Amino acid sequence: MTIFNFVFKRFFRKKSNIILLAVLPVGAVFLPMGEWLPIPLGFQYYSVILLFMAARLGGIIMEDRTDKTLLRVSVAPITHFQYLWQNLLAYTLILTAVNLVFIILGVMVHGGDLPSPALLFILYTVFTMTALGFSLTWYTLFQNKEAAFSALGGFIILMAMLGGVMWPVEVMPEYIQRAVMLLPTYWVAEGTKLISTGAKIEEIGLPIVVMLLLCVAFLLLGSRRRLS
């Protein structure tokens, strides 16, 4: 698991990465209760934060491609599949740890106003994998990291607006409501809405299954580009 261990060392070597993982989630915890969903705003918008964090992590893989690091790594006996899954596993563990801290802080700050912390953790963990898969696919479309990240930032905000994170999808035309069901943000927002209204784990099964399917699709698309 050489690549797996190296990912942690390289990521936490940069203070900016640590700040990214700490400041945004912790700041979101202290946002007040929402208006149209009975859940603190930070938990309503947390999926957007996860997308940005996943974008930063996915960008590291693109850095390896563009600066020819992978050409040097390929001298070692490692396949494209091994490199990819060990990177993604490390990133998933990092963001899952962030999710756990976020939920614990949320319980401490909001107490009973935070519905079903365990279900929220499950929802965010599944969405974490989907967000990483989406990020991997996105970066395969670009040659330049800065251009890719700049465009991705705007696209994440657009997905959040259309997907029901910032306002109910019901306020949009019906044809848009159907189209946005292809977005991962729609399903994490749907899961959040169900949890905020007291749904049980079986009731959020559909959003979780769809996000897992989207994750698999993104990983298949994003992994088609080789190391070099």
Side-chain angles (χ1 to χ4, degrees), residues 93-182:
L93 291 177
I94 290 171
L95 290 183
T96 299
V98 174
N99 294 341
L100 181 60
V101 172
F102 179 71
I103 293 295
I104 292 173
L105 289 176
V107 172
M108 294 172 62
V109 172
H110 298 285
D113 291 332
L114 185 65
S116 302
L119 292 185
L120 286 172
F121 176 73
I122 293 172
L123 183 74
Y124 294 147
T125 299
V126 174
F127 184 71
T128 290
M129 296 185 287
T130 307
L132 286 170
F134 170 76
S135 176
L136 180 67
T137 299
W138 179 270
Y139 283 116
T140 61
L141 304 176
F142 294 84
Q143 295 293 331
N144 181 273
K145 178 196 170 187
E146 285 71 25
F149 191 78
S150 298
L152 180 55
F155 193 70
I156 287 174
I157 298 301
L158 181 62
M159 285 199 303
M161 292 189 295
L162 294 177
V165 175
M166 296 185 175
W167 50 69
V169 294
E170 289 77 14
V171 303
M172 296 182 288
E174 185 175 350
Y175 70 92
I176 295 182
Q177 294 182 39
R178 294 179 179 177
V180 298
M181 293 178 72
L182 296 173

Side-chain angles (χ1 to χ4, degrees):
M1 301 280 288
T2 304
I3 296 295
F4 179 80
N5 294 329
F6 176 70
V7 170
F8 284 95
K9 292 180 181 179
R10 180 174 60 171
F11 181 80
F12 289 107
R13 191 180 300 152
K14 292 185 178 181
K15 293 182 179 179
S16 59
N17 291 334
I18 300 175
I19 293 173
L20 173 68
L21 294 183
V23 173
L24 290 179
V26 171
V29 168
F30 293 94
L31 293 178
M33 290 291 295
E35 296 181 0
W36 62 278
L37 280 183
I39 194 170
L41 282 174
F43 290 80
Q44 181 179 327
Y45 298 148
Y46 184 60
S47 58
V48 181
I49 296 175
L50 276 175
L51 281 169
F52 276 107
M53 291 192 294
R56 176 68 189 95
L57 291 167
I60 297 175
I61 295 178
M62 187 174 187
E63 287 178 4
D64 287 346
R65 286 173 173 153
T66 56
D67 66 10
K68 306 302 180 182
T69 297
L70 293 182
L71 288 178
R72 299 188 289 272
V73 172
S74 62
V75 177
I78 183 172
T79 65
H80 172 71
F81 176 76
Q82 289 173 327
Y83 164 82
L84 199 58
W85 81 260
Q86 290 188 39
N87 269 273
L88 292 176
L89 177 60
Y91 298 154
T92 300
L93 291 177
I94 290 171
L95 290 183
T96 299
V98 174
N99 294 341
L100 181 60
V101 172
F102 179 71
I103 293 295
I104 292 173
L105 289 176
V107 172
M108 294 172 62
V109 172
H110 298 285
D113 291 332
L114 185 65
S116 302
L119 292 185
L120 286 172
F121 176 73
I122 293 172
L123 183 74
Y124 294 147
T125 299
V126 174
F127 184 71
T128 290
M129 296 185 287
T130 307
L132 286 170
F134 170 76
S135 176
L136 180 67
T137 299
W138 179 270
Y139 283 116
T140 61
L141 304 176
F142 294 84
Q143 295 293 331
N144 181 273
K145 178 196 170 187
E146 285 71 25
F149 191 78
S150 298
L152 180 55
F155 193 70
I156 287 174
I157 298 301
L158 181 62
M159 285 199 303
M161 292 189 295
L162 294 177
V165 175
M166 296 185 175
W167 50 69
V169 294
E170 289 77 14
V171 303
M172 296 182 288
E174 185 175 350
Y175 70 92
I176 295 182
Q177 294 182 39
R178 294 179 179 177
V180 298
M181 293 178 72
L182 296 173
L183 299 176
T185 47
Y186 171 86
W187 294 103
V188 71
E190 186 69 13
T192 304
K193 180 170 66 175
L194 289 171
I195 293 172
S196 69
T197 55
K200 305 298 182 181
I201 187 168
E202 59 270 16
E203 297 177 76
I204 65 168
L206 179 60
I208 287 177
V209 169
V210 174
M211 285 192 292
L212 287 174
L213 292 174
L214 287 172
C215 175
V216 172
F218 288 140
L219 290 177
L220 290 175
L221 289 171
S223 63
R224 293 178 63 86
R225 187 168 181 178
R226 312 306 290 180
L227 295 182
S228 57

